[in-house]
Amino acid sequence: MLLTPFARVIPLPETIMRCRYSVVAACLIASFAATAEQESIERLEVQGDFRRLSVQTIAGSIAVVSEQDMQRSSAQHLDDVLSQLANINFAAGASRGRFVQVRGIGERSEFIDVINPSVGVLIDGIDYSGLGISSIAHAEQLEVFRGPEATRFGTNAMAGMLNLSSKQPDFRRDGAFSATVANYNSWQLSGMLSDAISDQVAFSLTADKQVSDGFIENTYLHRKDTNDIDELTIRGRLLYRHSDQLQWQLIAHAIEQNNGYDAFSLDRNRTTLSDEPGKDKLSSQALALRSDYHGIVGADLMWQLSWLSADSDYRFDEDWAFVGIRPGWEYSAFDRYQRSREQWTLDYRLVSDDQGRIADNTDWVLGFYVSGRELDLQRTRRSGTRLRAFDNNLQRDNAAVYGETSTALSEQTTLVIGGRLERYKDDYRDNGNLTIQQRHSMWGGKLSLNFQASEQAMIYTLLSRGYKVGGVNGEALSRAGDDGLEALLQQATFEPETLVNAEFGVKGAAIDGSLVTRVAVFHMWRDDMQVKGWLNPELGPEFAGFIDNAGRGRNYGIEMENRLVLHPSFTLHVSAGLLKSKLGPYVTQAGLDMTGRDQAHAPRFTYQLAGDWFLSEQLTLQASVQGKSGFYYSDGHNARSASSELVNLRLNYQLEQWQFAFWSRNALNQDRGVRGFYFGNDPRDEYAPHTYEQWGEPRRFGVTASYQF
């Protein structure tokens, strides 16, 4: 009965209707949980929203991953964390997975064309979208927003947003240090320290160094480190409490990444034959100044000014082989992309307090946002003895105004209305004397009705709209003169995309913390859907990519997260997602009709089953199984991944301030694809097309020693 009024307004597909009993059950569980005996309860606050509120009281599907959750799977990088979450996937195509898909929507690579991400990344409020998250060591928490969040984040959050917060400064000394050694010649050193400098000034500093040979053996070069990891990440915060009304915070980041890239094998395994292994390098620095002022009558003033500079060098052996592998058939090519990025952002907003409410029942937020970004690319491609260079520059400026109101209609019912109007302009030029200017105004927003059934149970309905900007197909323009690629002249630009999301959710928790549950049913409509297309006339080694608009698309399903304390010594964590996605009318340049097919990197089923077993005061066993069904690698071909089930184990021994952990990730050593292509690249079989996959990490095992003070 809870779904009936909602279903009359927006007809739900059969897949979701089959899930209605799960939602009704969640409502009943939430109501029952509210009657439990009152004790303490875990409260996870969302830091990325306008106000710091409990995740249980915000409309929308938000996953909050604490440092303890990351430890459960011995996570060392974002890849390891995302596998825990329902309806979340990622793509590699580089040394790390930095392209994220939420509910089947998100990019999978970036070569020449500048792509505005469907799923953005913020670290301490600084925009790292397109660069990814380099380290999660000693993070305070990671928040994953599912669904459009245009009101809060704008064009970078059409499908969702990842928000990582490093440790906040503390006026009491808090510190931790950990050292890890693992197979594949891997080691990690990380540390965190927070302390007071004076009565008004405190700081926090986090540093992380990771090194590994990687999981590839190059038999031609007789090396096992051509796909290695070598990363250093430093993040710091300096807090100055000027008074009870005013505080300032200075944030500084530095990243040095010097990773190898030699991931694709002609033999379609973990053995490569490249004679020129690639690199995936990144050097970035970022600064932010934040102010929180509570001295205005009726509102709090918050603003953050940030700056980021990043240089990347991404290069790879395009033929994946060596000269002489098959004379007469072989080709030799090497591709290199050198990027520089300079950006600044200013986010300025007023948030009402108790004295600033409208009509005593309406809280409000009003803000504006401006940003500027300059991106330079130098691409150098060598094919045989022929050397081709392509340079381009994109200057992108954004300006937006946004607002939100929250009106208490009754003691239990709240209406939230939010909106954002954004204007962007792009100025593009390249070394082919091509200049393109694009100007667009876009809007997004949300409307939610929240019903607080009890202090511990909330039911909400949500309608939200997101958007992302269009762009220029630089690769298509640069290669339109090649034989067989003339059709690329028709793909000079691509249009903005919009998304509308309808969602119904239930959140509940027992007062004593023995049960926490969150369930969301959603249906999303995509318009002018941006898809990655490939023109590969003869399915051979020469191909070109571009971004196309595929008309419409649909994504709908259900996701749930539960934590259940079955016994004082055992806690069970269950998350699961069911997703159905469809491409709208879309025929590729190669003539493949993809209409109605599942979208790329959109597995129909994802889940995690995890448990924490406290064997004694000193000994804890943690185990998890993370699974996902197979999915298509691209919207331009029909190559698919296999399904996967990853088993993770961790045994912790606590000795006063020391902890020793023996752990294994992917303990059953299952191969899983994290990026895939379909074409011919092997001269030994005369370039017959195959599905080539980049594999995720194999079985990992190691030991970690941690000291907390």
Side-chain angles (χ1 to χ4, degrees):
M1 293 183 63
L2 290 170
L3 277 178
T4 302
F6 185 78
R8 288 177 181 170
V9 176
I10 301 176
L12 296 178
E14 181 182 354
T15 303
I16 295 183
M17 291 303 291
R18 288 199 303 265
C19 301
R20 65 188 185 274
Y21 301 112
S22 300
V23 179
V24 173
C27 295
L28 295 176
I29 291 173
S31 299
F32 174 76
T35 65
E37 181 181 357
Q38 183 169 0
E39 294 179 14
S40 62
I41 179 174
E42 177 190 34
R43 296 190 181 275
L44 294 174
E45 288 189 337
V46 177
Q47 300 182 19
D49 207 354
F50 293 128
R51 305 173 189 270
R52 291 178 65 113
L53 299 173
S54 166
V55 67
Q56 296 295 102
T57 62
I58 299 178
S61 181
I62 305 171
V64 179
V65 185
S66 66
E67 187 175 10
Q68 290 72 26
D69 295 324
M70 299 178 192
Q71 175 184 289
R72 185 174 300 110
S73 60
S74 304
Q76 294 176 287
H77 190 263
L78 180 64
D79 302 5
D80 309 319
V81 176
L82 295 179
S83 298
Q84 302 179 17
L85 305 175
N87 286 334
I88 305 293
N89 200 7
F90 69 91
S95 61
R96 293 291 202 183
R98 65 172 178 262
F99 301 99
V100 181
Q101 300 85 46
V102 174
R103 295 175 175 175
I105 303 174
E107 286 59 50
R108 299 173 300 283
S109 62
E110 183 179 37
F111 291 96
I112 286 181
D113 309 319
V114 176
I115 303 174
N116 191 91
S118 301
V119 182
V121 173
L122 291 177
I123 305 178
D124 296 332
I126 301 173
D127 185 4
Y128 279 81
S129 302
L131 298 176
I133 295 176
S134 56
S135 170
I136 57 171
H138 302 290
E140 188 158 298
Q141 67 184 35
L142 171 70
E143 298 157 7
V144 180
F145 294 78
R146 302 183 184 94
E149 289 290 342
T151 302
R152 174 64 183 91
F153 301 112
T155 185
N156 286 344
M158 186 192 75
M161 174 62 74
L162 272 61
N163 182 57
L164 181 74
S165 301
S166 59
K167 289 291 186 181
Q168 292 280 357
D170 198 326
F171 283 86
R172 297 173 299 174
R173 174 170 292 185
D174 181 23
F177 171 82
S178 67
T180 297
V181 292
N183 57 336
Y184 295 98
N185 198 27
S186 304
W187 59 268
Q188 177 183 15
L189 294 176
S190 64
M192 183 278 297
L193 178 63
S194 180
D195 202 355
I197 298 177
S198 69
D199 291 340
Q200 293 179 291
V201 181
F203 75 93
S204 66
L205 181 65
T206 301
D208 179 49
K209 176 70 173 181
Q210 296 191 40
V211 172
S212 175
D213 281 350
F215 323 118
I216 293 294
E217 180 179 0
N218 188 311
T219 56
Y220 176 75
L221 297 177
H222 305 290
R223 290 172 55 187
K224 296 184 178 181
D225 63 349
T226 54
N227 202 51
D228 64 328
I229 298 294
D230 186 355
E231 298 176 346
L232 174 65
T233 304
I234 300 173
R235 299 190 182 109
R237 290 176 178 240
L238 185 66
L239 173 65
Y240 171 50
R241 288 183 177 172
H242 179 270
S243 64
D244 291 339
Q245 289 78 34
L246 176 64
Q247 69 176 27
W248 297 85
Q249 194 165 158
L250 179 65
I251 301 168
H253 297 165
I255 299 171
E256 293 295 330
Q257 174 181 299
N258 186 20
N259 297 341
Y261 182 49
D262 185 27
F264 283 94
S265 165
L266 290 180
D267 295 321
R268 304 190 292 281
N269 54 26
R270 296 184 187 273
T271 301
T272 64
L273 300 169
S274 310
D275 56 1
E276 299 177 282
K279 280 287 187 180
D280 183 20
K281 302 174 68 174
L282 173 67
S283 177
S284 75
Q285 304 80 40
L287 290 172
L289 181 64
R290 174 172 178 165
S291 173
D292 294 86
Y293 182 55
H294 306 283
I296 302 175
V297 177
D300 297 329
L301 171 63
M302 288 172 271
W303 61 266
Q304 178 166 307
L305 175 66
S306 67
W307 164 86
L308 180 144
S309 177
D311 295 302
S312 64
D313 185 356
Y314 175 64
R315 57 187 190 261
F316 54 90
D317 190 336
E318 189 176 308
D319 57 275
W320 307 342
F322 56 89
V323 175
I325 188 172
R326 188 180 178 186
W329 278 92
E330 68 190 32
Y331 80 107
S332 178
F334 191 82
D335 215 353
R336 184 177 188 180
Y337 302 82
Q338 294 172 282
R339 278 188 167 86
S340 64
R341 169 173 163 178
E342 192 100 10
Q343 72 180 38
W344 63 270
T345 62
L346 174 63
D347 195 354
Y348 193 101
R349 64 179 177 268
L350 290 166
V351 180
S352 68
D353 58 20
D354 291 344
Q355 299 180 56
R357 286 178 177 161
I358 300 173
D360 293 330
N361 69 338
T362 300
D363 293 312
W364 53 269
V365 175
L366 180 64
F368 74 87
Y369 170 91
V370 290
S371 70
R373 178 178 299 185
E374 184 171 7
L375 303 109
D376 290 292
L377 168 69
Q378 292 181 331
R379 184 204 185 184
T380 306
R381 183 176 184 266
R382 193 204 70 238
S383 180
T385 59
R386 181 185 181 187
L387 193 65
R388 172 183 290 175
F390 178 76
D391 304 339
N392 67 21
N393 171 271
L394 178 68
Q395 177 69 49
R396 172 169 290 168
D397 296 308
N398 293 63
V401 292
Y402 59 85
E404 182 179 282
T405 61
S406 178
T407 302
L409 302 180
S410 68
E411 290 186 0
Q412 295 177 297
T413 307
T414 303
L415 176 66
V416 178
I417 303 174
R420 187 183 190 103
L421 178 63
E422 186 160 356
R423 174 77 175 176
Y424 84 92
K425 62 177 183 177
D426 282 357
D427 293 310
Y428 170 91
R429 64 181 184 273
D430 61 32
N431 61 350
N433 295 320
L434 180 68
T435 301
I436 296 178
Q437 294 184 336
Q438 290 187 308
R439 306 287 189 270
H440 284 284
S441 295
M442 300 167 293
W443 67 273
K446 68 177 181 181
L447 174 67
S448 72
L449 188 64
N450 310 332
F451 178 69
Q452 201 72 37
S454 68
E455 186 178 350
Q456 303 305 124
M458 185 185 92
I459 302 170
Y460 69 88
T461 58
L462 171 67
L463 185 67
S464 55
R465 186 181 193 269
Y467 55 85
K468 61 185 290 190
V469 304
V472 178
N473 276 318
E475 182 172 11
L477 295 171
S478 70
R479 302 193 61 187
D482 292 1
D483 291 341
L485 301 179
E486 296 83 359
L488 293 175
L489 286 171
Q490 305 172 18
Q491 305 293 335
T493 62
F494 53 95
E495 296 301 311
E497 177 182 349
T498 59
L499 183 150
V500 174
N501 171 59
E503 188 171 316
F504 175 84
V506 179
K507 300 183 179 185
I511 295 177
D512 64 355
S514 61
L515 172 66
V516 177
T517 182
R518 293 186 286 272
V519 181
V521 178
F522 61 90
H523 191 146
M524 304 194 297
W525 293 265
R526 305 175 67 178
D527 195 21
D528 287 325
M529 175 180 169
Q530 295 176 11
V531 297
K532 183 72 173 182
W534 300 93
L535 191 59
N536 187 209
E538 299 178 359
L539 291 180
E542 291 295 329
F543 60 93
F546 58 92
I547 301 173
D548 200 2
N549 292 96
R552 300 177 303 277
R554 289 196 299 158
N555 301 61
Y556 49 88
I558 185 170
E559 55 218 8
M560 56 179 280
E561 297 170 333
N562 300 279
R563 190 195 67 195
L564 181 62
V565 180
L566 297 176
H567 187 271
S569 64
F570 184 76
T571 301
L572 181 66
H573 305 263
V574 180
S575 65
L578 179 66
L579 174 67
K580 177 64 176 176
S581 64
K582 291 184 179 181
L583 287 167
Y586 179 53
V587 179
T588 71
Q589 287 287 342
L592 291 175
D593 188 352
M594 297 295 187
T595 304
R597 202 209 70 177
D598 287 0
Q599 297 168 23
H601 269 253
R604 292 194 174 190
F605 189 59
T606 54
Y607 72 91
Q608 175 183 249
L609 182 65
D612 301 332
W613 189 7
F614 301 92
L615 302 173
S616 68
E617 292 185 1
Q618 290 80 32
L619 202 60
T620 306
L621 176 64
Q622 297 173 302
S624 66
V625 180
Q626 300 162 354
K628 67 180 65 172
S629 59
F631 52 87
Y632 290 100
Y633 282 122
S634 173
D635 295 320
H637 56 72
N638 286 317
R640 289 177 58 92
S641 77
S643 61
S644 63
E645 295 80 28
L646 304 182
V647 176
N648 306 303
L649 302 170
R650 183 182 178 99
L651 184 65
N652 301 303
Y653 180 73
Q654 192 76 35
L655 183 63
E656 296 181 345
Q657 294 171 280
W658 285 93
Q659 184 188 83
F660 301 93
F662 304 89
W663 54 266
S664 177
R665 290 197 304 268
N666 190 9
L668 300 183
N669 199 30
Q670 184 174 87
D671 286 334
R672 57 167 178 153
V674 294
R675 188 75 172 105
F677 297 98
Y678 181 78
F679 58 87
N681 204 40
D682 193 340
R684 298 172 301 181
D685 61 11
E686 303 178 3
Y687 298 110
H690 298 287
T691 298
Y692 292 104
E693 297 175 281
Q694 178 177 343
W695 302 108
E697 66 174 17
R699 179 189 294 118
R700 303 297 311 282
F701 56 85
V703 59
T704 300
S706 304
Y707 180 75
Q708 191 162 8
F709 57 92

